[in-house]
Amino acid sequence: GGNSLIIKCPTHKYESTVAFYRDILRLNVEYSSKDTCKLEWSEFMYVWISRTDKLTHPSVWLVVDTNCTVRAKALLEKCEMMRNEVDQLAEGVDGFWASPV
């Protein structure tokens, strides 16, 4: 498990994506910069939205935080899940980011 989901959002979709979560779903938005915000989905779950010029469509990433990272990575590779370090994880977290191909 993990407590973060990140949406990498193209610049032209960033404001409308944030507006959806803020205005329609009524989630509280906390801006950490002009390009990134955090939404509290629940007491223990956060959705981060980050603006990027490198994508044409939004991309969703989950944080995989487990006590057996090697096995989790092997399972996701077998299931053809893509892994990538889209953002730095908190110090001490033995995990990684994952997204469906």
Side-chain angles (χ1 to χ4, degrees):
N3 68 344
S4 291
L5 175 140
I6 190 168
I7 300 171
K8 290 294 192 174
C9 196
T11 299
H12 71 280
K13 292 279 194 182
Y14 180 75
E15 294 300 331
S16 62
T17 301
V18 172
F20 170 77
Y21 287 95
R22 181 190 61 227
D23 302 340
I24 306 299
L25 297 183
R26 302 289 219 202
L27 299 179
N28 291 327
V29 177
E30 180 183 315
Y31 289 90
S32 56
S33 74
K34 70 179 184 71
D35 295 325
T36 303
C37 67
K38 176 174 86 169
L39 305 130
E40 187 174 342
W41 188 265
S42 71
E43 185 178 355
F44 302 106
M45 181 68 184
Y46 299 96
V47 175
W48 295 81
I49 303 175
S50 268
R51 179 189 329 245
T52 181
D53 293 328
K54 298 176 183 175
L55 298 175
T56 57
H57 301 292
S59 177
V60 177
W61 294 82
L62 304 171
V63 124
V64 178
D65 181 10
T66 177
N67 60 358
C68 193
T69 303
V70 173
R71 284 183 51 203
K73 284 181 179 180
L75 174 65
L76 292 178
E77 285 173 356
K78 183 178 179 181
C79 296
E80 298 182 3
M81 294 282 290
M82 182 170 59
R83 290 188 343 273
N84 195 333
E85 300 302 319
V86 294
D87 278 321
Q88 196 77 354
L89 293 176
E91 189 173 324
V93 173
D94 183 21
F96 55 91
W97 290 97
S99 181
V101 174

